[in-house]
């Protein structure tokens, strides 16, 4: 374990400030990925599929509301009650659908919290890594110019190795962030589509 820690600290020392920045971005990325995974899979307010059976067995909106009232309190229940309040208004069906669509869009935007941050990490970290590599290469070739024919090739190779380290780190940070962003965004989009279908059925049940 001590040997691994020594190697890790050696990477930080050789990578410099750029490597340290990428390390912080990696920690932030992992935190955001974990948070969004838990939120989307266990606390997703948009996922209304658990109420599908209640909608099927009830014959009208009044019966469905009574079924929902028996459910334990949750953000999903609050969202559904807000929707029912819109449906029970004495307004045209087109106006109700427009209000429900607005409410659903508002929930969708709220569920996208921190996804833009994840996208920024995915896009920026390779560029920061590349910047570190370019700076490292400049330093290496500067040493080559100053030393002339007396430069030890192993020192030059070590400088290039250190420079490439930041690019590798940038990609290590970016790839999981990019995959996670795509996965979360796709899952949220699919959930909104299924919830939209559910809410359309609910509106139609009101007659």
């Amino acid at each position: 374990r001590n040997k691994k820690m020594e190697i890790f600290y050696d990477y930080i020392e050789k990578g410099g400030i750029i490597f340290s920045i990428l390390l912080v971005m990696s920690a932030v990325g992992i935190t955001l990925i974990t948070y969004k995974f838990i939120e989307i899979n266990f606390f997703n307010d948009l996922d209304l599929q658990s109420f599908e059976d209640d909608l099927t067995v009830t014959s009208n909106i009044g019966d469905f509301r009574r079924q929902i009232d028996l459910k334990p309190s949750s953000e999903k229940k609050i969202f559904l009650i807000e929707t029912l309040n819109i449906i029970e208004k004495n307004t045209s069906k087109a106006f109700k659908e427009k209000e429900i669509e607005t409410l659903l869009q508002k929930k969708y935007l709220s569920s996208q919290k921190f996804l833009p941050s994840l996208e920024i990490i995915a896009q920026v970290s390779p560029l920061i890594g590349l910047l570190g590599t370019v700076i490292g290469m400049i330093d290496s070739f500067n040493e080559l110019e100053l030393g002339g024919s007396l430069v030890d090739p192993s020192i030059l190779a070590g400088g290039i190795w250190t420079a490439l380290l930041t690019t590798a780190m940038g990609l290590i940070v970016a790839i999981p962030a990019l995959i996670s962003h795509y996965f979360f965004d796709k899952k949220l989009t699919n959930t909104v589509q299924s919830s939209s279908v559910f809410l359309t059925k609910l509106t139609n049940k009101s007659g």
Side-chain angles (χ1 to χ4, degrees), residues 7-187:
I7 293 171
F8 178 69
Y9 288 132
D10 186 49
Y11 280 170
I12 294 176
E13 186 180 343
K14 287 182 177 178
I17 184 87
I18 299 291
F19 190 89
S20 299
I21 290 170
L22 289 170
L23 207 57
V24 171
M25 290 179 73
S26 174
V28 172
I30 291 169
T31 303
L32 292 179
I33 289 168
T34 305
Y35 173 82
K36 292 305 294 183
F37 179 83
I38 294 171
E39 181 190 53
I40 289 173
N41 287 284
F42 301 103
F43 302 100
N44 191 354
D45 301 344
L46 285 169
D47 189 3
L48 302 176
Q49 291 305 301
S50 57
F51 301 109
E52 187 76 46
D53 291 339
D54 297 305
L55 184 63
T56 304
V57 298
T58 53
S59 57
N60 56 61
I61 286 294
D63 290 342
F64 181 71
R65 180 183 272 276
R66 282 188 284 275
Q67 285 283 99
I68 297 305
D69 287 339
L70 297 174
K71 302 282 184 182
S73 181
S74 66
E75 288 296 322
K76 290 181 187 180
K77 181 179 175 179
I78 293 169
F79 173 48
L80 201 52
I81 288 173
E82 286 177 357
T83 306
L84 285 169
N85 290 338
I86 293 170
I87 291 171
E88 290 173 343
K89 284 181 181 177
N90 190 22
T91 53
S92 67
K93 186 177 179 181
F95 185 77
K96 290 175 184 177
E97 288 175 349
K98 186 68 178 175
E99 275 200 90
I100 290 170
E101 184 184 339
T102 303
L103 184 63
L104 189 61
Q105 186 66 19
K106 185 180 175 182
K107 278 285 181 184
Y108 173 67
L109 292 174
S110 176
S111 297
Q112 281 211 317
K113 182 175 61 176
F114 296 130
L115 277 187
S117 302
L118 207 54
E119 185 178 17
I120 289 170
I121 289 172
Q123 292 180 353
V124 172
S125 53
L127 298 177
I128 293 175
L130 184 60
L131 174 64
T133 297
V134 170
I135 292 170
M137 294 293 281
I138 290 170
D139 287 341
S140 295
F141 283 106
N142 186 46
E143 287 181 17
L144 180 62
E145 182 186 15
L146 294 173
S149 60
L150 301 175
V151 173
D152 186 350
S154 63
I155 296 174
L156 181 62
I160 295 172
W161 176 85
T162 302
L164 292 173
L165 182 65
T166 57
T167 293
M169 185 61 183
L171 293 173
I172 289 169
V173 174
I175 291 169
L178 185 63
I179 292 171
S180 299
H181 177 270
Y182 175 80
F183 172 78
F184 294 145
D185 189 55
K186 184 71 175 174
K187 191 167 179 66

